[in-house]
Amino acid sequence: MIIAKKSLGQNFLIDQEILELITNLTSIEGKSVLEIGPGTGNLTSLILKKKPKEFYVIEKDNKLAERLAVNYKNKIKVINEDVLKIEENLLFSEKIIVFGNLPYNISTEILSKWIMSIKNDFWFDCLILMFQKEVADRIIAKSNSSDYGRLSILSNWKLNIKKICDISPKSFYPRPKIDSSLLLFTPKDNFYPIKNAKNLEKVTRIFFKYRRKMLKKPFNQLFDGDQKILNKLKIDLNLRPQNLDFETYYKLTDEYENLRS
Ligand code: SAM
């Protein structure tokens, strides 16, 4: 018998309708697939039915990884590791479809890591991921809303994001205390050319340190009150961080990189 480990965010998806919906979001046949945290294999079994060419899974739990390797012998490649330690962009030779009912305690860390790992080329075809609803709301938020922030700006930089649906705790075992949301991410054809993604993280960290305060302080900290940048980007320093749209943060990061080059 499997006892779900809270420390590994183990809430297994047991709702057949949702499992089918997830595997019908993209065409799998003949493609390479990666599943993060397959757990007891509920989603794994359905993905296999769709005949992927290669199928990798990353599972940190030793016992579950062992069980998966036995149950799906020769059908999947089990990587018994912490997903945060894997360099997916180096691991796969062709673009891969990624599925994951992610462990909620590290879901934003996983997504941020993947976005930071995209260089010129995307290593994935699409990401089909489950988050806790509150996190998904932050990922898809637009400017001038209370959920808008660093995660929205980073996620929307290189990815198109589509919310598929919300999912109730009843669809999981054990039942989590929160609602979940399923998101589909696809690569953007064009995205703002920032040289180093760490600079976008830095700029947004400084701007969103005081999200209720006016922009004056963080702007002065980064740009020493440079009026030319304010005029060029049409920024009003009396506004608050959440009032600047995605593009303005990407442009601010560009200016920050120019200042330092
Ligand atoms: N995909 C399964 C399902 O839907 O039934 C399980 C999803 S459960 C929310 C999260 C899974 O991720 C668990 O199997 C857990 O052991 C695994 N996990 C947790 N932390 C992990 C990590 N750092 N790296 C890889 N897998 C992890």
Side-chain angles (χ1 to χ4, degrees):
M1 198 181 113
I2 289 158
I3 298 169
K5 294 191 183 110
K6 223 175 165 185
S7 62
L8 288 177
Q10 290 178 352
N11 297 99
F12 303 113
L13 192 52
I14 51 167
D15 185 326
Q16 207 57 28
E17 253 177 58
I18 301 291
L19 286 162
E20 268 167 33
L21 181 149
I22 293 173
T23 51
N24 283 331
L25 283 172
T26 187
S27 153
I28 294 174
E29 190 167 344
K31 306 257 182 74
S32 293
V33 173
L34 168 68
E35 188 189 353
I36 308 300
T40 47
N42 301 349
L43 187 60
T44 320
S45 297
L46 280 195
I47 295 173
L48 267 177
K49 281 195 190 155
K50 306 263 176 184
K51 304 194 175 72
K53 184 169 101 185
E54 286 186 299
F55 190 0
Y56 300 85
V57 304
I58 302 177
E59 175 56 66
K60 186 176 178 185
D61 187 308
N62 298 341
K63 275 214 176 110
L64 290 180
E66 215 175 286
R67 190 169 175 266
L68 289 156
V70 172
N71 289 354
Y72 301 97
K73 202 171 168 216
N74 301 330
K75 293 188 184 135
I76 63 173
K77 296 186 178 75
V78 181
I79 303 169
N80 182 198
E81 254 293 359
D82 180 344
V83 61
L84 292 173
K85 295 194 180 139
I86 301 273
E87 290 191 72
E88 292 89 350
N89 51 331
L90 305 179
L91 202 63
F92 308 111
S93 52
E94 59 184 87
K95 285 192 187 177
I96 200 153
I97 300 170
V98 183
F99 290 94
N101 171 16
L102 299 179
Y104 290 152
N105 51 342
I106 54 167
S107 62
T108 55
E109 232 179 306
I110 297 173
L111 181 65
S112 303
K113 179 188 86 139
W114 287 344
I115 296 171
M116 306 289 283
S117 77
I118 303 164
K119 300 293 175 235
N120 293 326
D121 275 335
F122 286 82
W123 56 271
F124 53 82
D125 245 343
C126 65
L127 310 171
I128 297 171
L129 304 174
M130 183 98 72
F131 293 88
Q132 80 188 73
K133 182 175 179 303
E134 171 258 319
V135 171
D137 288 346
R138 280 167 45 214
I139 292 172
I140 58 177
K142 301 281 188 296
S143 53
N144 297 315
S145 69
S146 60
D147 285 327
Y148 181 66
R150 298 183 65 204
L151 190 58
S152 348
I153 296 163
L154 183 66
S155 308
N156 280 274
W157 174 32
K158 292 186 172 180
L159 299 169
N160 300 306
I161 310 167
K162 187 175 172 198
K163 177 167 170 174
I164 306 298
C165 60
D166 290 328
I167 299 171
S168 109
K170 279 190 291 194
S171 298
F172 300 87
Y173 180 82
R175 284 187 190 190
K177 292 197 177 74
I178 36 113
D179 283 331
S180 305
S181 303
L182 183 64
L183 301 183
L184 167 67
F185 301 82
T186 49
K188 276 190 177 168
D189 292 333
N190 290 306
F191 50 83
Y192 205 89
I194 290 166
K195 288 189 196 82
N196 185 345
K198 288 214 165 92
N199 289 326
L200 178 60
E201 280 206 312
K202 178 169 180 188
V203 166
T204 54
R205 183 175 67 246
I206 291 173
F207 271 94
F208 280 89
K209 191 166 174 201
Y210 304 105
R211 56 181 302 136
R212 284 174 216 291
K213 297 248 169 86
M214 286 188 284
L215 294 169
K216 197 169 174 179
K217 193 173 169 186
F219 183 81
N220 286 346
Q221 183 181 336
L222 283 165
F223 300 103
D224 202 15
D226 191 327
Q227 193 63 40
K228 274 199 283 216
I229 297 177
L230 287 179
N231 293 344
K232 190 170 159 191
L233 304 188
K234 299 190 177 61
I235 294 175
D236 172 357
L237 289 183
N238 296 316
L239 295 175
R240 293 184 166 60
Q242 72 205 50
N243 303 126
L244 298 186
D245 61 13
F246 298 131
E247 282 288 306
T248 305
Y249 280 105
Y250 308 145
K251 287 178 183 167
L252 277 167
T253 306
D254 191 25
E255 294 293 342
Y256 177 75
E257 291 188 331
N258 290 339
L259 278 180
R260 291 166 58 96
S261 64

